[in-house]
Amino acid sequence: MKVESFELDHTKVKAPYIRKASLYKGEKGDVVSKFDLRFMQPNKGEMQTGGIHTLEHLLAVYLRDEGIGEEIIDLSPMGCRTGFYFTIWGDKTEEEIKKPLVNALKLVVETKEIPAANEIQCGNYRDHSLEAAIEYARGFVNNI
Ligand SMILES: [Zn+2]
């Protein structure tokens, strides 16, 4: 079995970027796109856990407000902490993802409060950093 991200040469990419990693086709004709949203240059930098966690909370809210809410399946931080995987219904292009993502990240930069950062709604509510999330969002928007 092939693992898509292990096939990617991480020395050849230039972050930040949006890359369509996979297109999945179900038996009944359903189609799902998976994107690699890379914020940090692999093996040169990484997001600290509080910052990537806060960014995950904020993007979960803001991406759903960008007109693609019904189509989003998942947004998950990568274990290497250099970006996120973003999974969405349909055969989408990188260009189609760019606008809602950049708009959502611009909202992150303006954020004053972290949603759902409490013991009931989050699995590690003490590990958040709005300051770092804003820095990562700004870096992506300014350099994409
Ligand atoms: Zn959380």
Side-chain angles (χ1 to χ4, degrees):
M1 171 160 177
K2 272 191 172 179
V3 178
E4 190 279 331
S5 68
F6 294 171
E7 301 288 313
L8 175 72
D9 184 341
H10 287 77
T11 67
K12 298 277 193 293
V13 297
K14 179 89 183 73
Y17 65 79
I18 300 168
R19 181 180 68 90
K20 190 170 187 172
S22 308
L23 181 70
Y24 299 101
K25 291 181 179 163
E27 275 176 25
K28 296 187 175 153
D30 287 327
V31 179
V32 168
S33 302
K34 182 178 173 183
F35 290 90
D36 161 0
L37 311 179
R38 198 71 63 146
F39 282 66
M40 305 307 240
Q41 184 64 28
N43 301 301
K44 303 284 182 212
E46 70 282 319
M47 292 181 264
Q48 50 110 314
T49 60
I52 195 172
H53 185 191
T54 298
L55 200 48
E56 180 202 16
H57 276 228
L58 293 171
L59 286 176
V61 174
Y62 295 150
L63 276 173
R64 280 173 174 82
D65 291 341
E66 283 300 319
I68 53 169
E70 298 290 305
E71 298 164 276
I72 294 172
I73 296 172
D74 187 44
L75 176 84
S76 304
M78 293 174 179
C80 60
R81 292 185 277 121
T82 60
F84 292 86
Y85 281 115
F86 181 54
T87 309
I88 184 164
W89 289 107
D91 185 359
K92 297 284 195 293
T93 65
E94 289 155 3
E95 241 355 86
E96 286 174 287
I97 297 305
K98 186 176 174 180
K99 195 177 161 221
L101 177 63
V102 167
N103 284 345
L105 289 170
K106 285 179 178 170
L107 292 173
V108 170
V109 171
E110 304 298 318
T111 299
K112 304 275 183 266
E113 197 181 323
I114 305 165
N118 60 69
E119 196 174 1
I120 292 169
Q121 293 178 289
C122 176
N124 192 0
Y125 78 100
R126 288 165 300 183
D127 191 22
H128 275 285
S129 172
L130 181 57
E131 194 179 45
I134 289 172
E135 179 195 322
Y136 305 145
R138 193 177 276 137
F140 191 97
V141 169
N142 291 344
N143 296 298
I144 188 84

